[in-house]
Amino acid sequence: MSERRLTQITIGILFSFFLLISIFFNFVIMFSSYRRQSSYDITIIILFVFFISFLLSMIKEKTGMIMQVILILSISYVCFIFNGEYDFFSWGFLLLFIILSYHYGFLENYIYTKFLIFLLSFIVVISITAYVHKNPFIVVICLIYFCCVFFFCCFIFRKIVYELFHSEKQIADLQQMLCIKEQELEQARINSKVEELSFNNYLELVKRIQCLEEENNKLKLNITTAMGNYLNKKEQLFEDKDNLSKIIEKLFPVFNSKEKRVLIDFYLSNGSKTNNEIAYDLGTTEQTVKNAFRKIFNELQIKSRAEVLVKLDTVLSSITNEYEI
């Protein structure tokens, strides 16, 4: 069992138990009071919906993870509206939502768009909270608290953020180290054969190796530059999956929705994902992905995954001029 799946089941069980206890105590408070209060009825209904939802979130892996982070964010928002900006649970659930989103891998793609949507929804909720509690200063206080939580999360993940911003330099250093190691290896091979060569032949061999190494380094540099330009161009042309989905729909109407999703996910990963990884991303089975690839191969008249990328690059390059790059 994967770490994410184990976390999903653990969170589902703990929150289901927590919400079940909350429902029980709300029933006790409601029936022990002299008169029934409508606020308790609403609270019990909300808690019961959350309880059922967390039970359902443990059934399917990918969909369940998405459901869990949305439910925890919803619980945080409900606590804000009912209890105000000083409630411990509202900020605690909000922090748990951020940590779980990172752990489940939801902050790896389109992070700016997701952050903007979350920030807008947060402002709407605290505005409702300010209206319910008749206190307009709640909006200002919540935004200040939110900035504190945001910088706290940045401090927790500072190492990851640092590695993210310095990933390009790390790649360049690794490539340089690789070239040095290749030269050392080649030189070691030459030294092992020095005794069998004359001095003149040895010099010629060294010169030839140096020329080959220079050509090799230039080739690697050109490949790296070309690949970077290619990926940048692809990101600009298809900055979201919806845009690419419309193009695939137009070019390959013979594929159904599952086959198109498999094709898009595989293409955007530049062919690096396995069937299992694609199945995990799309919330389906590995056999479904295999069947989709089988049909893709037949329709495109190709025999390998590498040919899928070449075929799509060839077809999509013909429509590049229709988009601003």
Short mmCIF file of all heavy atoms in Angstrom, two decimals, residues 100-121:
data_model
loop_
_atom_site.label_atom_id
_atom_site.label_comp_id
_atom_site.label_asym_id
_atom_site.label_seq_id
_atom_site.Cartn_x
_atom_site.Cartn_y
_atom_site.Cartn_z
N LEU A 100 -2.23 18.49 3.57
CA LEU A 100 -2.72 17.33 2.82
C LEU A 100 -2.64 17.56 1.32
O LEU A 100 -2.33 16.64 0.55
CB LEU A 100 -4.17 17.02 3.21
CG LEU A 100 -4.39 16.00 4.33
CD1 LEU A 100 -5.87 15.70 4.48
CD2 LEU A 100 -3.61 14.72 4.08
N SER A 101 -2.94 18.77 0.88
CA SER A 101 -2.87 19.07 -0.55
C SER A 101 -1.46 18.87 -1.06
O SER A 101 -1.25 18.34 -2.16
CB SER A 101 -3.31 20.52 -0.81
OG SER A 101 -4.66 20.70 -0.43
N TYR A 102 -0.48 19.27 -0.26
CA TYR A 102 0.92 19.07 -0.65
C TYR A 102 1.26 17.58 -0.64
O TYR A 102 1.90 17.07 -1.57
CB TYR A 102 1.84 19.84 0.28
CG TYR A 102 3.29 19.45 0.12
CD1 TYR A 102 4.03 19.90 -0.96
CD2 TYR A 102 3.90 18.61 1.05
CE1 TYR A 102 5.35 19.53 -1.12
CE2 TYR A 102 5.22 18.23 0.89
CZ TYR A 102 5.94 18.69 -0.19
OH TYR A 102 7.24 18.31 -0.34
N HIS A 103 0.82 16.88 0.40
CA HIS A 103 1.16 15.45 0.53
C HIS A 103 0.55 14.62 -0.59
O HIS A 103 1.19 13.69 -1.10
CB HIS A 103 0.67 14.93 1.88
CG HIS A 103 0.95 13.47 2.12
ND1 HIS A 103 2.23 12.99 2.31
CD2 HIS A 103 0.13 12.39 2.16
CE1 HIS A 103 2.19 11.68 2.47
NE2 HIS A 103 0.93 11.29 2.38
N TYR A 104 -0.67 14.95 -1.01
CA TYR A 104 -1.33 14.21 -2.08
C TYR A 104 -0.82 14.61 -3.46
O TYR A 104 -1.22 14.01 -4.46
CB TYR A 104 -2.84 14.44 -2.02
CG TYR A 104 -3.52 13.72 -0.87
CD1 TYR A 104 -4.73 14.18 -0.36
CD2 TYR A 104 -2.96 12.58 -0.31
CE1 TYR A 104 -5.37 13.51 0.68
CE2 TYR A 104 -3.58 11.93 0.74
CZ TYR A 104 -4.79 12.39 1.23
OH TYR A 104 -5.41 11.73 2.26
N GLY A 105 0.02 15.63 -3.54
CA GLY A 105 0.59 16.04 -4.82
C GLY A 105 -0.26 16.99 -5.61
O GLY A 105 -0.06 17.16 -6.83
N PHE A 106 -1.22 17.66 -4.95
CA PHE A 106 -2.10 18.58 -5.68
C PHE A 106 -1.48 19.95 -5.90
O PHE A 106 -2.08 20.80 -6.56
CB PHE A 106 -3.43 18.75 -4.92
CG PHE A 106 -4.21 17.48 -4.77
CD1 PHE A 106 -5.02 17.26 -3.67
CD2 PHE A 106 -4.14 16.49 -5.75
CE1 PHE A 106 -5.74 16.08 -3.55
CE2 PHE A 106 -4.84 15.31 -5.64
CZ PHE A 106 -5.65 15.10 -4.53
N LEU A 107 -0.30 20.20 -5.34
CA LEU A 107 0.36 21.50 -5.51
C LEU A 107 1.50 21.42 -6.52
O LEU A 107 2.34 22.31 -6.58
CB LEU A 107 0.91 21.98 -4.16
CG LEU A 107 -0.12 22.16 -3.04
CD1 LEU A 107 0.54 22.71 -1.79
CD2 LEU A 107 -1.26 23.07 -3.47
N GLU A 108 1.52 20.35 -7.32
CA GLU A 108 2.59 20.19 -8.29
C GLU A 108 2.28 20.88 -9.62
O GLU A 108 3.19 21.31 -10.32
CB GLU A 108 2.85 18.69 -8.53
CG GLU A 108 3.37 17.99 -7.28
CD GLU A 108 3.50 16.49 -7.49
OE1 GLU A 108 3.11 16.03 -8.58
OE2 GLU A 108 3.98 15.80 -6.57
N ASN A 109 1.00 20.98 -9.98
CA ASN A 109 0.62 21.57 -11.27
C ASN A 109 -0.39 22.70 -11.06
O ASN A 109 -1.23 22.63 -10.16
CB ASN A 109 -0.02 20.50 -12.17
CG ASN A 109 0.95 19.37 -12.47
OD1 ASN A 109 2.11 19.61 -12.73
ND2 ASN A 109 0.47 18.14 -12.43
N TYR A 110 -0.28 23.73 -11.90
CA TYR A 110 -1.23 24.86 -11.89
C TYR A 110 -1.38 25.45 -10.49
O TYR A 110 -2.47 25.76 -10.03
CB TYR A 110 -2.60 24.42 -12.41
CG TYR A 110 -2.55 23.69 -13.72
CD1 TYR A 110 -2.85 22.34 -13.81
CD2 TYR A 110 -2.16 24.35 -14.88
CE1 TYR A 110 -2.78 21.67 -15.02
CE2 TYR A 110 -2.09 23.68 -16.09
CZ TYR A 110 -2.40 22.34 -16.15
OH TYR A 110 -2.34 21.68 -17.33
N ILE A 111 -0.26 25.61 -9.78
CA ILE A 111 -0.31 26.05 -8.39
C ILE A 111 -0.82 27.48 -8.27
O ILE A 111 -1.55 27.82 -7.34
CB ILE A 111 1.07 25.89 -7.72
CG1 ILE A 111 0.97 26.24 -6.24
CG2 ILE A 111 2.13 26.74 -8.43
CD1 ILE A 111 2.21 25.87 -5.47
N TYR A 112 -0.48 28.34 -9.24
CA TYR A 112 -0.93 29.74 -9.17
C TYR A 112 -2.44 29.84 -9.35
O TYR A 112 -3.11 30.59 -8.64
CB TYR A 112 -0.20 30.57 -10.24
CG TYR A 112 1.28 30.64 -10.04
CD1 TYR A 112 2.16 30.01 -10.92
CD2 TYR A 112 1.83 31.33 -8.96
CE1 TYR A 112 3.53 30.05 -10.73
CE2 TYR A 112 3.19 31.38 -8.76
CZ TYR A 112 4.03 30.74 -9.65
OH TYR A 112 5.39 30.79 -9.45
N THR A 113 -2.97 29.08 -10.30
CA THR A 113 -4.43 29.08 -10.51
C THR A 113 -5.16 28.56 -9.29
O THR A 113 -6.17 29.13 -8.85
CB THR A 113 -4.78 28.23 -11.74
OG1 THR A 113 -4.06 28.72 -12.87
CG2 THR A 113 -6.26 28.27 -12.03
N LYS A 114 -4.67 27.46 -8.71
CA LYS A 114 -5.31 26.88 -7.53
C LYS A 114 -5.24 27.83 -6.34
O LYS A 114 -6.20 27.96 -5.58
CB LYS A 114 -4.64 25.55 -7.18
CG LYS A 114 -4.89 24.46 -8.21
CD LYS A 114 -4.12 23.20 -7.87
CE LYS A 114 -4.34 22.13 -8.93
NZ LYS A 114 -3.54 20.91 -8.66
N PHE A 115 -4.09 28.50 -6.19
CA PHE A 115 -3.95 29.43 -5.07
C PHE A 115 -4.91 30.61 -5.23
O PHE A 115 -5.52 31.06 -4.24
CB PHE A 115 -2.50 29.94 -5.00
CG PHE A 115 -2.28 30.96 -3.92
CD1 PHE A 115 -2.17 30.59 -2.60
CD2 PHE A 115 -2.20 32.31 -4.24
CE1 PHE A 115 -1.97 31.52 -1.60
CE2 PHE A 115 -2.00 33.26 -3.26
CZ PHE A 115 -1.87 32.86 -1.92
N LEU A 116 -5.08 31.10 -6.44
CA LEU A 116 -5.99 32.22 -6.68
C LEU A 116 -7.43 31.83 -6.38
O LEU A 116 -8.17 32.60 -5.74
CB LEU A 116 -5.85 32.69 -8.14
CG LEU A 116 -6.69 33.91 -8.54
CD1 LEU A 116 -6.31 35.12 -7.71
CD2 LEU A 116 -6.53 34.21 -10.02
N ILE A 117 -7.83 30.64 -6.82
CA ILE A 117 -9.20 30.16 -6.55
C ILE A 117 -9.42 30.01 -5.04
O ILE A 117 -10.46 30.42 -4.50
CB ILE A 117 -9.45 28.82 -7.27
CG1 ILE A 117 -9.44 29.04 -8.79
CG2 ILE A 117 -10.77 28.20 -6.83
CD1 ILE A 117 -9.51 27.76 -9.59
N PHE A 118 -8.43 29.43 -4.36
CA PHE A 118 -8.55 29.25 -2.91
C PHE A 118 -8.63 30.60 -2.20
O PHE A 118 -9.45 30.78 -1.29
CB PHE A 118 -7.34 28.46 -2.41
CG PHE A 118 -7.14 28.55 -0.92
CD1 PHE A 118 -8.04 27.96 -0.05
CD2 PHE A 118 -6.06 29.25 -0.40
CE1 PHE A 118 -7.86 28.06 1.33
CE2 PHE A 118 -5.87 29.35 0.96
CZ PHE A 118 -6.78 28.75 1.83
N LEU A 119 -7.80 31.57 -2.60
CA LEU A 119 -7.80 32.87 -1.95
C LEU A 119 -9.14 33.59 -2.15
O LEU A 119 -9.68 34.19 -1.21
CB LEU A 119 -6.65 33.73 -2.51
CG LEU A 119 -6.46 35.11 -1.87
CD1 LEU A 119 -6.18 34.96 -0.39
CD2 LEU A 119 -5.33 35.86 -2.55
N LEU A 120 -9.69 33.51 -3.37
CA LEU A 120 -10.99 34.15 -3.63
C LEU A 120 -12.09 33.50 -2.79
O LEU A 120 -12.95 34.20 -2.22
CB LEU A 120 -11.31 34.05 -5.12
CG LEU A 120 -10.44 34.91 -6.05
CD1 LEU A 120 -10.80 34.65 -7.52
CD2 LEU A 120 -10.60 36.40 -5.75
N SER A 121 -12.09 32.17 -2.72
CA SER A 121 -13.11 31.48 -1.92
C SER A 121 -12.94 31.82 -0.44
O SER A 121 -13.95 31.98 0.28
CB SER A 121 -13.01 29.97 -2.12
OG SER A 121 -11.79 29.46 -1.63
#
